[in-house]
Amino acid sequence: MTGADQPVRVLLVDDDALVRAGLRMMLDGAHGLLVVGEAADGAEVPTAVSAHAPDIVLMDLRMPGVDGVTATRDLRRRPRPPDVIVLTTYDTDDNVLRALRAGASGFLLKDTPPVDILHAVRRVARGDAMLSPAVTRRLIAHVAAPAAASPRTAARHRLDRLSERERDVALALGEGKSNAEISAELFMSVATVKAHVSRLLTKLELNNRVQVALLVHDAGLA
């Protein structure tokens, strides 16, 4: 997350130069956002991230060299990695779910209206998820096989690592709720919610809130 007085630094990764140009024009014209670099393939991402220190990477899923799923997975293994929002043409692409499980904070269709793209980048920069429960359920229904008993049991065992309050927060994340919504529902401060999210991510060995939501869905609890 960035400070209130600092622009959100964005790296664009897409093999189509016209797509990158359109995104740059849109983002650079928006208050509080700054495109700091571009890459045309997933193989260029490590160097670009090291050079430009982005807060957010907009990552194309399908590229001729290193694809967006692989690039996302490798990027999220770095210390203090930037958040990743993947770009796709079809929301039923099975690579979307693979990218989310690899650590992406959400996804955007390439024909998403500009105002919604700006909203998504700002929301992820604040540390909130950008997937609604309906979108998560649709993704799993389209591109994932029905949860077998063994994976469901394994997911529930992982959630058993959490304290009762952390579990409450995890279930709320599974419903796509923001920190403010969780704060109101569970009668705790936003700062306390953030602390619980941080602890449960550590306990569950996950990268972000979207992965928590997917784990809750895998457990059959959302």
Side-chain angles (χ1 to χ4, degrees):
M1 290 181 287
T2 60
D5 57 343
Q6 297 294 321
V8 177
R9 299 168 61 83
V10 182
L11 174 70
L12 306 177
V13 184
D14 197 296
D15 63 320
D16 189 329
L18 287 177
V19 171
R20 297 198 309 273
L23 288 170
R24 176 180 282 276
M25 186 179 303
M26 177 202 318
L27 294 168
D28 271 347
H31 176 72
L33 301 179
L34 176 66
V35 175
V36 294
E38 299 181 13
D41 187 81
E44 301 173 10
V45 169
T47 299
V49 168
S50 296
H52 302 296
D55 303 303
I56 304 285
V57 177
L58 288 182
M59 179 90 73
D60 187 20
L61 272 181
R62 295 183 177 273
M63 293 178 282
V66 175
D67 63 72
V69 175
T70 301
T72 297
R73 182 180 299 112
D74 292 344
L75 185 56
R76 294 300 300 176
R77 289 172 177 159
R78 295 166 64 111
R80 301 177 62 84
D83 289 303
V84 177
I85 301 172
V86 293
L87 302 170
T88 182
T89 305
Y90 306 105
D91 63 358
T92 55
D93 185 341
D94 61 355
N95 285 315
V96 172
L97 189 58
R98 290 175 58 215
L100 295 175
R101 293 194 186 281
S105 296
F107 78 96
L108 290 168
L109 295 178
K110 289 191 175 182
D111 61 358
T112 298
V115 66
D116 293 336
I117 292 177
L118 299 178
H119 174 72
V121 171
R122 289 176 174 135
R123 180 163 185 169
V124 170
R126 291 197 305 267
D128 277 333
M130 54 169 286
L131 290 183
S132 70
V135 168
T136 303
R137 283 193 293 269
R138 186 172 73 248
L139 267 175
I140 291 175
H142 277 290
V143 302
S150 179
R152 183 181 298 115
T153 299
R156 291 186 177 185
H157 281 325
R158 290 184 71 185
L159 291 171
D160 285 344
R161 303 176 189 175
L162 305 178
S163 69
E164 182 177 354
R165 209 57 169 155
E166 289 164 351
R167 184 183 175 87
D168 290 340
V169 172
L171 294 179
L173 293 177
E175 295 173 358
K177 293 180 177 174
S178 67
N179 288 340
E181 291 168 334
I182 297 171
S183 170
E185 179 179 291
L186 298 181
F187 304 103
M188 61 176 69
S189 69
V190 171
T192 301
V193 173
K194 291 179 179 178
H196 280 309
V197 171
S198 178
R199 283 198 296 270
L200 68 87
L201 287 174
T202 299
K203 285 186 178 181
L204 296 174
E205 300 177 341
L206 296 175
N207 288 311
N208 58 41
R209 354 172 18 111
V210 171
Q211 289 185 324
V212 176
L214 289 172
L215 182 65
V216 170
H217 280 266
D218 287 346
L221 301 177

